[in-house]
Amino acid sequence: EADIYQTPRYLVIGTGKKITLECSQTMGHDKMYWYQQDPGMELHLIHYSYGVNSTEKGDLSSESTVSRIRTEHFPLTLESARPSHTSQYLCASSPISHTEAFFGQGTRLTVV
Amino acid sequence: AQTVTQSQPEMSVQEAETVTLSCTYDTSESDYYLFWYKQPPSRQMILVIRQEAYKQQNATENRFSVNFQKAAKSFSLKISDSQLGDAAMYFCAYRLEGSGYALNFGKGTSLLVTP
């Protein structure tokens, strides 16, 4: 089992609130990713990082932001949550070589 | 742009039978990696099997095997002796050279296993 953790697992929050989804990995992986999974289960890359102080936007435009101050930590922040942000968010990491990515258990976010 | 296509939104198999999930992809690269991931309901995405394009031999992991056809850009997953625990969404994925080597996923195939 991969050592990558996401908290919280489930979150229901009101419109306009600021939220941070946490993601941590203990494997020392340089690369980390955030995916948004829509109700049809399709996965879209929204952010990625090559390492400390590196953050890039993914293929799907997102109003969220990320930071990478430490190798093991890659939090995602929504400054003002909206119902359109309701989704499942998956965090993943991988070592520098061309191997698979390891996923966290996901955060299911509902904005009411 | 690299794309991954899974043409079967849903598949069904009886316990102990064999099922094949299809995946095609588009790329101009000659060396790359392909993956099948499994996502059980409300559970973690886990790797099922990995194939390196330069290896001609099809990858196998216990009851799971792939049929990798590089020229046809096809990468199907065969599950033998299906078990109830195999019920899940299955995603085919290609590792992108750009985007931090992120995985580019197909839309998934929902596998139902019936007793």
Side-chain angles (χ1 to χ4, degrees):
Chain A
E1 193 166 316
D3 296 323
I4 179 164
Y5 307 100
Q6 289 186 243
T7 57
R9 288 287 313 277
Y10 303 93
L11 179 63
V12 180
I13 199 162
T15 298
K17 299 290 186 183
K18 178 180 179 178
I19 58 169
T20 297
L21 308 184
E22 301 288 349
C23 176
S24 295
Q25 50 97 2
T26 60
M27 297 171 284
H29 290 168
D30 287 305
K31 294 183 176 62
M32 294 190 74
Y33 313 91
W34 277 103
Y35 289 86
Q36 185 173 338
Q37 188 168 31
D38 63 28
M41 302 300 282
E42 193 169 354
L43 290 138
H44 303 280
L45 179 69
I46 53 174
H47 298 283
Y48 62 96
S49 168
Y50 287 101
V52 172
N53 295 324
S54 158
T55 60
E56 304 285 346
K57 288 189 178 294
D59 304 324
L60 182 68
S61 176
S62 174
E63 293 166 347
S64 58
T65 59
V66 292
S67 63
R68 190 88 183 275
I69 298 172
R70 303 197 314 267
T71 297
E72 63 270 22
H73 196 212
F74 191 42
L76 180 145
T77 298
L78 278 165
E79 291 291 334
S80 180
R82 296 209 299 267
S84 61
H85 296 139
T86 294
S87 191
Q88 167 135 283
Y89 293 85
L90 298 179
C91 180
S93 72
S94 70
I96 197 167
S97 59
H98 290 204
T99 60
E100 68 269 24
F102 297 88
F103 284 81
Q105 290 189 299
T107 294
R108 185 167 296 280
L109 172 66
T110 302
V111 184
V112 298
Chain B
Q2 293 102 346
T3 59
V4 179
T5 302
Q6 293 180 250
S7 58
Q8 306 153 316
E10 293 180 349
M11 291 285 284
S12 181
V13 63
Q14 275 196 311
E15 215 174 350
E17 297 296 309
T18 295
V19 64
T20 298
L21 309 185
S22 301
C23 174
T24 59
Y25 59 94
D26 184 25
T27 182
S28 57
E29 297 174 332
S30 59
D31 191 17
Y32 47 88
Y33 290 75
L34 294 162
F35 307 87
W36 277 99
Y37 276 83
K38 169 185 177 181
Q39 188 180 33
S42 300
R43 293 184 64 185
Q44 203 163 4
M45 183 93 78
I46 57 174
L47 178 72
V48 174
I49 201 164
R50 172 181 65 208
Q51 175 78 43
E52 297 166 75
Y54 71 90
K55 288 187 177 179
Q56 300 205 356
Q57 187 173 7
N58 289 325
T60 300
E61 288 287 341
N62 300 315
R63 298 183 294 108
F64 299 87
S65 61
V66 299
N67 183 5
F68 175 51
Q69 303 287 330
K70 190 173 183 180
K73 296 180 182 174
S74 171
F75 181 59
S76 60
L77 175 70
K78 186 171 84 171
I79 306 174
S80 304
D81 186 25
S82 297
Q83 300 174 359
L84 294 177
D86 295 333
M89 281 292 290
Y90 286 82
F91 293 94
C92 178
Y94 176 103
R95 186 123 205 199
L96 294 170
E97 286 292 329
S99 299
Y101 295 98
L103 294 173
N104 183 32
F105 289 91
K107 293 186 178 183
T109 297
S110 177
L111 179 66
L112 174 67
V113 182
T114 57

